[in-house]
Amino acid sequence: MTTRMAVLISGNGSNLQAILDAIRMRVLDAEVAVVVSNRKNAYGLERAEKADVPTRYHALKPYLDDGKTREEYDADLAAIVGEYDPEWIVLAGWMHILSDAFLQQYPYAVVNLHPALPGKFPGAHAIEEAHAAFQAGEIDHTGIMVHLVPDEQIDAGPVITTTEVPIYKSDTLEMLENRMHQNEHKLLVQALQRLIDGDEDE
Ligand code: GRF
């Protein structure tokens, strides 16, 4: 039985592309049932369209303009995702903190990719913060994690898998970002394979 996934993105979508490529090359026995973006010009939407995957755009601003809450936005997002009946919801560069209005609809079915090791550099600037911490001599390496998202904690939850990523003295931020993205693509596919095999825990 092919595993159905919904992938939520906000930007370039290189991790989405890694999933699509792994499916095309039969590395992942899965199907991306829908790609949802909260940003209209996310390049990831074009990647999805090129792969004939349905896409949806769900903007937060109209809700806030109408005096509605993030919870109302999240509840409608849950309904949109529900139309595609996914087993797993993959947050691959999704830059919006989900509330329980969404998460409680999909208990232990939401998976997040974060470019830092557990407990390190939560939030949207993890790679920059790791680069700065390395230059300050506070860390000697960084890493990446894929974890479940059972509640509203930011970039935290039961860890599915992690990998350490070296940082070198000669690294510019861009060199580190490129190395991180290459490792993310491999780790995310490995993590999804584990979920498909029913082997969640690291
Ligand atoms: C990745 O580094 C991911 O870990 C972070 O946002 C970035 C998204 O990259 N949350 P892309 O859009 O998949 O290329």
Side-chain angles (χ1 to χ4, degrees):
M1 180 66 178
T2 299
T3 301
R4 290 171 67 77
M5 297 177 173
V7 181
L8 276 51
I9 64 161
S10 297
N12 175 31
S14 70
N15 285 286
L16 164 65
Q17 192 68 56
I19 297 171
L20 294 170
D21 294 348
I23 290 171
R24 188 169 38 78
M25 294 185 288
R26 301 188 185 289
V27 172
L28 271 184
D29 181 17
E31 175 195 356
V32 177
V34 65
V35 170
V36 182
S37 177
N38 61 342
R39 307 237 172 100
K40 198 176 182 76
N41 55 8
Y43 181 64
L45 291 172
E46 288 185 39
R47 295 177 189 271
E49 280 146 22
K50 282 188 186 126
D52 292 324
V53 172
T55 61
R56 299 288 290 265
Y57 166 51
H58 187 51
L60 176 61
K61 190 171 180 307
Y63 285 76
L64 302 181
D65 291 350
D66 289 355
K68 291 180 176 171
T69 63
R70 292 175 69 96
E71 284 71 20
E72 287 171 286
Y73 170 86
D74 287 353
D76 288 351
L77 176 67
I80 289 170
V81 167
E83 293 172 26
Y84 299 86
D85 190 27
E87 284 164 73
W88 295 101
I89 291 110
V90 182
L91 310 182
W94 168 256
M95 306 310 267
H96 167 88
I97 298 159
L98 293 169
S99 67
D100 285 339
F102 182 97
L103 297 170
Q104 286 176 354
Q105 305 273 334
Y106 301 102
Y108 287 88
V110 180
V111 181
N112 183 43
L113 168 72
H114 183 62
L117 293 170
K120 297 275 187 187
F121 311 120
H125 308 289
I127 303 177
E128 288 128 281
E129 290 171 10
H131 189 250
F134 174 82
Q135 290 180 329
E138 293 158 8
I139 61 171
D140 59 16
H141 68 276
T142 184
I144 302 159
M145 66 170 173
V146 179
H147 63 96
L148 293 173
V149 186
D151 53 39
E152 296 179 350
Q153 288 182 81
I154 299 175
D155 298 323
V159 174
I160 297 166
T161 189
T162 63
T163 190
E164 293 192 357
V165 177
I167 309 177
Y168 305 110
K169 282 201 175 64
S170 56
D171 274 346
T172 61
L173 176 56
E174 192 185 355
M175 290 160 75
L176 179 59
E177 281 171 344
N178 290 339
R179 188 176 311 122
M180 289 290 282
H181 292 325
Q182 283 163 15
N183 281 278
E184 282 182 325
H185 301 161
K186 283 185 277 182
L187 191 75
L188 183 57
V189 169
Q190 284 166 10
L192 296 177
Q193 191 56 58
R194 276 192 178 202
L195 295 175
I196 291 169
D197 296 344
D199 170 15
E200 271 97 291
D201 303 318
E202 179 157 57

